[in-house]
Amino acid sequence: GKWESALIVLKGLWIRGLQISQITCNSAISACDKAGQWKQALAFLSGMRATALPPNVITSTAAIGACQLAAMWAVALGILEIMGGTAVRPNAISYTSILSSLERGRQWEMSLHQLSALPGRQIASAVATSNAAISALEKN
């Protein structure tokens, strides 16, 4: 699949010691996201943290999205928590992915908690974010 090709290319660049951009890593993690390869997405994210190339909001949100597809809500929340401890600020898309992950995991109470914390985090509560929380409630 495309995610496997992305892995091969990125690993080849790393092995050769070539400079890798955030855009390259974002593309690889996004490919993993679309394929539901959350473990590979996390491996890329960890690899970025181990280098001088810090993840940005796009990188982290794509990794959260990969966790969402696999219903790995606890891992997705871990990524969100790490983002909170860095200069990377989660955005509405990040929270929509978190809430969708919680929905898949049938974690409606946690969905409400995350949604209620949005105003304090200075995140505009987008319609999609609110819909994700409502959908989580609906399924319980």
Side-chain angles (χ1 to χ4, degrees):
K2 290 182 183 181
W3 70 272
E4 293 165 320
S5 298
L7 282 178
I8 291 168
V9 169
L10 192 58
K11 285 180 182 177
L13 293 173
W14 264 328
I15 289 170
R16 289 179 181 79
L18 298 174
Q19 189 171 6
I20 299 170
S21 70
Q22 280 185 331
I23 294 169
T24 305
C25 291
N26 290 352
S27 297
I29 292 175
S30 291
C32 292
D33 171 12
K34 288 176 179 62
Q37 297 294 321
W38 66 275
K39 289 180 183 178
Q40 293 297 328
L42 292 181
F44 275 123
L45 195 60
S46 294
M48 287 181 74
R49 288 191 183 115
T51 67
L53 186 64
N56 62 18
V57 69
I58 296 167
T59 315
S60 299
T61 300
I64 289 170
C67 294
Q68 169 198 338
L69 291 175
M72 300 300 296
W73 60 270
V75 177
L77 283 173
I79 296 168
L80 183 68
E81 186 175 318
I82 290 169
M83 289 172 75
T86 67
V88 178
R89 305 225 4 127
N91 60 21
I93 297 168
S94 307
Y95 283 104
T96 299
S97 291
I98 285 289
L99 291 169
S100 294
S101 180
L102 292 168
E103 171 196 346
R104 284 181 180 253
R106 300 193 183 279
Q107 300 296 315
W108 66 270
E109 290 173 328
M110 184 63 72
S111 292
L112 285 178
H113 173 73
Q114 291 295 324
L115 188 62
S116 68
L118 289 180
R121 294 181 178 137
Q122 299 178 342
I123 301 291
S125 181
V127 172
T129 306
S130 300
N131 286 345
I134 291 167
S135 183
L137 290 171
E138 181 179 75
K139 292 186 178 178
N140 286 299

